């Protein structure tokens, strides 16, 4: 009797969990459904939950109305370059903070961490003026350069490097291995999980940037996906099925990355925050 | 004791590794921080050149300006609408996601899915859900005979509507942080309380909540700071309107700098936002630290 009650409680909880998953994902699922509806069906009242008749043409139409392929390319170049850059600068700095005992190491580390306290809004206007002064408006360097260093990533990699047995370093020194070779041939391969965490985190957050690309890019062909989306919405008559098709296309890369690297995303978001 | 020569050699060696990061931080964090402070003390030309030194004049002007005070009020309300709601909605999801059942990863992925969605995409999806004529929200309310609401055009509803969008977008992050906190609660702690005769509610209130208080604390601080920096959803959904109802601070900085070309004034606004964030963080520390129990 008691066992039966416990089982039915478990089933009820399972049902609740499925229902909540549908509620949380509803806006996204509904957007996907809408991307396959015809214009007539989108404006129909009452709204349909799922397409009555599947209309695949919205994707092609969205690609014709806005150069989404070009936006995707721009975003891939920006996010890829920022990711590689952050991996490089963070690995170098993380190495210095964990393997080289230099005078002023502690204050230098605090200087790095202090950059986390500066909200982007405070540096926004001067950075815009700097980038404009160099003549970088509407270029890739403007989208990439300000994000090439990361205190968070440096911290993450330093923590990881510190967990690697010290004997490895001592043995390498005895064998006459230089610092650079030790970092490149021994530490970096060992640190692959931490590098993956930082890389996925960097790619996701760069891909989803909105304000900075909006400021430094105003030519059509240099736009990134997030800002470029607005073109679909600013048509004379907004076609929601077209907008949703565009959204599905620009969200797909981060969704794939999120599903493939879920563990890393979680580790990146919680690193040093919760267990302190 | 190491000799000075070795120390200097180590310093030179370390700087070679730190240089790439230091150059980027110097150019894009430290210099602009100082430059922004300087800009805030000057009236600037429309191109952003320093014109007239006005000292704290622009700060004084802002603190008397009804539009800026409105931005402060809107940002405060926005945080009030989003941060507690985000935690209250995230906690049950995190508790369920912490069950030990088969296929739990699928639920965890689903509940934290909005991490993968950008703010621009989230805002556009919600603009469609909130559409007064063909939107699904008004349709559902119509089923229970609630008249149509112009969610984004009605000054009473615009801020709550933008807040709802934000809560949805941030839900995934909240779930991840709270779940990590819950996973750190030792089983023995809960078991011991049960054996002592504590019911589920007592376990939740007196064991689980105190045990995850560092995660709750971190989330409250991070969410407040994040929300005060919101921009994308406002720019896409309402452009600060109607009649300033959603004119959060960052949106107002953006308008002043890049539409009115008053860079100095916008820089002063950014400094005030910076201070506000620092003060809030400090406040939350002192208030919450008292009941947060670190293990």
């Amino acid at each position: 009797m008691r066992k039966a009650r416990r089982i039915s409680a478990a089933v009820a909880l399972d049902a609740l969990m499925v229902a909540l998953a549908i509620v949380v994902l509803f806006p996204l699922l509904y957007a996907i459904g809408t991307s396959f509806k015809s214009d007539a069906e989108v404006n129909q009242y009452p709204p349909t939950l799922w397409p009555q008749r599947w209309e695949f043409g919205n994707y092609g139409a969205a690609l014709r109305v806005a150069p989404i392929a070009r936006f995707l390319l721009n975003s891939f170049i920006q996010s890829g370059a920022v990711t590689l850059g952050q991996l490089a600068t963070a690995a170098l700095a993380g190495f210095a903070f964990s393997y080289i005992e230099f005078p002023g190491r502690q204050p230098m580390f605090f200087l790095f961490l202090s950059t986390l306290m500066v909200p982007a809004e405070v540096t926004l206007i001067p950075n815009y003026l700097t980038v404009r002064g160099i003549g970088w408006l509407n270029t890739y360097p403007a989208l990439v350069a300000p994000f090439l260093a990361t205190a968070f990533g440096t911290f993450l990699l330093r923590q990881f490097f510190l967990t690697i047995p010290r004997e490895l370093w001592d043995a390498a020194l005895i064998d006459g291995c230089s610092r650079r070779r030790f970092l490149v041939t021994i530490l970096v391969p060992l640190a692959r999980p931490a590098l993956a965490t930082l890389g996925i985190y960097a790619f996701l957050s760069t891909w989803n940037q909105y304000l900075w690309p909006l400021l430094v890019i105003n030519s059509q062909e240099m736009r990134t996906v997030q800002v470029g989306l607005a073109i679909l919405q600013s048509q004379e008559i907004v076609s929601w099925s077209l907008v949703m098709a565009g959204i599905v296309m620009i969200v797909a890369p981060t969704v794939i990355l999120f599903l493939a690297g879920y563990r890393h995303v979680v580790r990146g978001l919680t690193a040093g925050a919760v267990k302190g | 004791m190491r000799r000075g020569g070795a120390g200097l050699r180590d310093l030179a060696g370390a700087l070679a590794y730190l240089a790439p990061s230091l150059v980027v931080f110097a150019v894009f964090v430290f210099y602009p921080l100082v430059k922004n402070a300087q800009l805030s003390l000057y009236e600037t030309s429309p191109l952003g050149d320093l014109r007239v030194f006005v000292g704290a004049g622009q700060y004084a002007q802002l603190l008397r300006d009804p539009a800026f005070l409105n931005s402060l009020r809107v940002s405060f309300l926005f945080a009030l609408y989003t941060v507690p709601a985000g935690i209250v909605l995230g906690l049950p999801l995190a508790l369920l996601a912490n069950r030990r059942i088969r296929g739990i990863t699928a639920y965890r992925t689903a509940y934290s899915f909005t991490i993968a969605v950008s703010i621009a995409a989230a805002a556009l999806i919600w603009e469609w859900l909130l559409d007064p004529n063909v939107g699904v929200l008004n349709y559902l309310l119509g089923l229970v005979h609630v008249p149509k609401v112009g969610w984004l055009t009605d000054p009473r509803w615009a801020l709550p509507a933008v807040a709802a969008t934000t809560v949805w977008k941030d839900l995934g992050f909240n779930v991840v942080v709270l779940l990590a906190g819950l996973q750190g609660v030792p089983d023995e702690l809960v078991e011991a309380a049960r054996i002592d005769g504590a019911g589920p509610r007592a376990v939740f209130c007196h064991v689980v909540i105190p045990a995850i208080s560092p995660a709750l604390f971190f989330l409250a601080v991070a969410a407040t700071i994040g929300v005060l920096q919101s921009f994308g959803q406002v720019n896409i959904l309402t452009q600060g309107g109607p009649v300033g109802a959603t004119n959060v601070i960052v949106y107002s900085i953006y308008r002043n700098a890049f539409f009115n070309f008053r860079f100095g004034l916008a820089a002063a606004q950014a400094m005030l936002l910076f201070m506000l964030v620092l003060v809030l963080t400090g406040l939350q520390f002192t208030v919450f630290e008292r009941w947060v129990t670190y293990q």
Side-chain angles (χ1 to χ4, degrees), chain B residues 47-211:
Chain B
L47 280 174
D49 303 316
L50 305 176
R51 275 272 172 77
V52 188
F53 180 78
V54 289
Q58 293 183 120
Y59 290 92
Q61 183 192 336
L62 282 171
L63 293 174
R64 273 182 277 113
D65 177 10
F68 181 71
L69 295 177
N70 175 60
S71 279
L72 279 179
R73 193 183 61 89
V74 168
S75 287
F76 176 75
L77 277 178
F78 189 52
L80 203 64
Y81 291 162
T82 49
V83 177
I87 294 176
V88 167
L89 292 174
L91 193 52
L93 292 175
L95 282 167
L96 287 170
N98 195 34
R99 288 176 75 204
R100 264 157 243 173
I101 54 172
R102 277 170 63 131
I104 192 67
T105 310
Y107 290 108
R108 288 177 184 168
T109 314
Y111 293 167
S112 51
F113 204 85
T114 59
I115 291 169
V117 181
S118 65
I119 193 62
L124 283 170
I125 291 174
W126 277 76
E127 184 171 1
W128 156 233
L129 298 177
L130 296 168
D131 188 282
N133 297 314
V134 291
V136 80
L137 187 62
N138 270 350
Y139 166 71
L140 290 175
L141 289 174
L143 295 180
V144 288
H145 304 293
V146 175
K148 283 184 177 175
V149 178
W151 296 106
L152 299 171
T153 47
D154 183 331
R156 279 170 309 166
W157 286 110
L159 191 62
V162 177
T165 308
T166 310
V167 168
W168 180 71
K169 155 71 191 120
D170 289 344
L171 195 58
F173 174 72
N174 295 2
V175 169
V176 164
V177 172
L178 292 171
L179 179 61
L182 287 169
Q183 285 170 331
V185 180
D187 289 340
E188 305 86 68
L189 208 62
V190 176
E191 225 24 71
R194 278 214 188 105
I195 291 167
D196 287 348
R201 188 182 301 178
V203 168
F204 179 72
C205 292
H206 300 299
V207 179
V208 175
I209 290 289

Side-chain angles (χ1 to χ4, degrees), chain A residues 11-275:
Chain A
V11 170
L13 265 186
D14 287 349
L16 177 68
M17 288 177 78
V18 174
L20 284 175
I22 293 171
V23 170
V24 170
L25 293 176
F26 173 77
L28 212 56
L29 297 173
Y30 192 60
I32 295 171
T34 302
S35 74
F36 291 107
K37 287 179 188 172
S38 66
D39 255 346
E41 193 181 336
V42 167
N43 294 310
Q44 179 183 319
Y45 197 89
T48 51
L49 192 59
W50 207 240
Q52 306 298 94
R53 211 171 46 81
W54 289 71
E55 170 69 60
F56 294 95
N58 294 324
Y59 285 81
L63 288 167
R64 277 192 300 280
V65 169
I68 292 179
R70 179 61 201 240
F71 299 160
L72 284 168
L73 175 73
N74 293 337
S75 278
F76 268 112
I77 289 173
Q78 183 203 10
S79 305
V82 168
T83 303
L84 291 177
Q86 286 197 3
L87 287 173
T89 59
L92 290 170
F95 176 72
F97 284 126
S98 52
Y99 278 84
I100 307 177
E101 275 172 46
F102 58 95
R105 184 158 94 165
Q106 205 64 9
M108 184 65 93
F109 192 54
F110 280 122
L111 187 73
F112 267 58
L113 291 186
S114 73
T115 63
L116 293 172
M117 303 268 292
V118 181
E121 288 66 38
V122 184
T123 55
L124 192 70
I125 294 166
N127 280 346
Y128 171 80
L129 297 175
T130 300
V131 161
R132 195 189 63 189
I134 308 173
W136 273 357
L137 290 185
N138 295 314
T139 65
Y140 290 121
L143 291 171
V144 174
F147 310 104
L148 284 179
T150 158
F152 162 74
T154 303
F155 177 76
L156 191 79
L157 293 184
R158 167 187 175 266
Q159 298 303 94
F160 192 89
F161 289 160
L162 286 176
T163 64
I164 288 166
R166 209 63 196 179
E167 292 77 39
L168 216 57
W169 173 230
D170 295 335
L173 275 186
I174 291 165
D175 288 348
C177 176
S178 70
R179 278 178 183 146
R180 195 182 341 152
R181 236 185 77 210
F182 179 71
L183 172 64
V184 174
T185 60
I186 298 176
L187 273 190
V188 164
L190 283 174
R192 261 184 313 211
L195 291 169
T197 297
L198 174 59
I200 289 175
Y201 183 83
F203 193 96
L204 260 176
S205 48
T206 310
W207 185 273
N208 288 343
Q209 273 183 13
Y210 181 76
L211 178 51
W212 181 251
L214 181 72
L215 292 184
V216 296
I217 304 295
N218 47 45
S219 77
Q220 172 100 327
E221 76 271 18
M222 282 305 293
R223 287 210 170 105
T224 58
V225 285
Q226 309 298 339
V227 180
L229 260 188
I231 294 178
L232 291 173
Q233 188 207 13
S234 60
Q235 300 299 303
E236 256 171 66
I237 303 161
V238 181
S239 161
W240 283 113
S241 50
L242 223 63
V243 176
M244 295 305 142
I247 287 177
V248 171
M249 285 188 275
I250 73 144
V251 167
T254 44
V255 165
I256 292 166
L257 197 62
F258 174 75
L259 292 177
Y262 174 73
R263 238 166 7 98
H264 289 293
V265 174
V266 169
R267 202 178 323 152
L269 290 177
T270 53
V274 179
K275 283 163 192 160

